[in-house]
Amino acid sequence: MAEVVIVDDEEAAGALVADAIVALIRRKPDAVLGLATGSTPLASYRALASRIADERIDVRGVRGFALDEYVGLPAGHPESYRSVITREVVEPLGLTPELVRVPNGDPASIRTAGADYEASLLAAGGVDLQILGIGRTGHIGFNEPGSSLASLTRVKTLTEHTREDNARFFNSPDDVPMHCITQGIGTILRARHLVLLAFGEAKARAVAAAVEGPVSASQPGSAIQLHPHTTVIVDDAAASGLANLDYYRHAWAHKPDWQRI
Ligand code: F6R
């Protein structure tokens, strides 16, 4: 079962995520981070950037792989995930840009982009710690309901729900691309530690289905139950649909000091 940690807010979650990543980088200076985009991980990236600056941690060897990218946005579009990862992660953390990869959403090479990304992930030795958000549809990465639990990086069609949710980043809902290239669920499950973050009431159903529902391609987030080391960090609102809430709080309160998330 995933470890479920209920925190007061995104800043408290960010402190836990930053702790885990700082410990990882100290242990492995060329650690491979799996990077989610969207709003959910932003406080964690800010917390990590502060820790790196305050403690003068050398991150020049740290590598990164984004989860996904839109297909067909022009190079340099501010909402391409390449731009978002540069703006929200690479620059504030001071990572080496050449060591941070994002799937290639250029239509000209899209047929081979998934296999290329898989090859790069394997060549890097896989992801050490994968940060995940979750969509209202239950997607992780952009693996919408129905995605194979064994899927690898490939092109997917976004649901209209997801396009509506992401319209806030674009001038008009019609500007949200129809297609994306995303790590598959099988790809995500190869990471050594999954850290799934969710905040707010709108995520409560997806979180409950992911943590406590049956494992099913209809709820892609439920694939986390197949992973031996998953940490789910949620606020009260996102945790509100969980049946075993008391137990999660009890287990966290009695967690051995030596164990990290
Ligand atoms: C982003 C990603 C998505 C988001 C999810 C939640 O790289 O893969 O799964 O994590 O759509 O988005 P936010 O955080 O904006 O609610």
Side-chain angles (χ1 to χ4, degrees):
M1 192 193 81
E3 175 172 50
V4 180
V5 184
I6 297 121
V7 293
D8 286 343
D9 52 27
E10 297 179 35
E11 281 64 40
L16 288 175
V17 173
D19 267 349
I21 295 179
V22 165
L24 169 65
I25 297 172
R26 290 200 189 285
R27 190 165 76 237
K28 184 177 177 188
D30 63 346
V32 180
L33 303 180
L35 303 165
T37 47
S39 305
T40 304
L42 294 178
S44 294
Y45 294 143
R46 285 195 296 271
L48 183 57
S50 302
R51 288 284 300 275
I52 288 169
D54 292 351
E55 298 172 35
R56 296 169 185 259
I57 299 165
D58 183 355
V59 295
R60 284 172 298 176
V62 171
R63 296 166 289 166
F65 283 86
L67 274 172
D68 37 26
E69 175 61 288
Y70 293 114
V71 172
L73 288 184
H77 188 290
E79 294 310 326
S80 75
Y81 283 171
R82 161 57 72 191
S83 300
V84 172
I85 288 284
T86 300
R87 195 164 66 231
E88 305 290 356
V89 183
V90 175
E91 290 173 354
L93 270 58
L95 302 184
T96 305
E98 300 73 41
L99 297 183
V100 179
R101 305 280 303 247
V102 179
N104 185 352
D106 180 354
S109 50
I110 202 67
R111 287 168 191 239
T112 51
D116 289 349
Y117 205 62
E118 288 291 323
S120 311
L121 278 159
L122 289 177
V127 168
D128 291 302
L129 187 151
Q130 175 67 56
I131 298 173
L132 295 170
I134 189 164
R136 279 194 306 154
T137 62
H139 68 220
I140 51 173
F142 274 143
N143 295 283
E144 299 284 23
S147 296
S148 157
L149 300 181
S151 49
L152 301 179
T153 306
R154 75 248 183 264
V155 172
K156 289 289 290 181
T157 305
L158 295 169
T159 62
E160 286 304 297
H161 263 310
T162 299
R163 292 185 70 230
E164 280 161 28
D165 284 348
N166 289 7
R168 68 191 192 279
F169 297 114
F170 291 83
N171 292 330
S172 129
D174 292 339
D175 292 348
V176 184
M178 189 67 72
H179 297 103
C180 62
I181 174 166
T182 179
Q183 287 191 31
I185 297 175
T187 317
I188 292 169
L189 290 177
R190 287 200 311 253
R192 287 178 272 281
H193 181 192
L194 304 181
V195 179
L196 188 149
L197 306 170
F199 309 108
E201 175 73 37
K203 300 292 176 74
R205 280 180 59 178
V207 167
V211 175
E212 296 178 340
V215 175
S216 161
S218 302
Q219 284 293 336
S222 66
I224 62 170
Q225 295 176 43
L226 298 170
H227 195 282
H229 187 190
T230 299
T231 311
V232 175
I233 309 179
V234 284
D235 64 4
D236 285 307
S240 58
L242 292 169
N244 294 322
L245 206 47
D246 290 346
Y247 173 68
Y248 305 137
R249 291 190 196 281
H250 176 76
W252 180 248
H254 294 89
K255 190 174 170 71
D257 286 340
W258 54 267
Q259 262 187 359
R260 297 180 183 279
I261 62 167

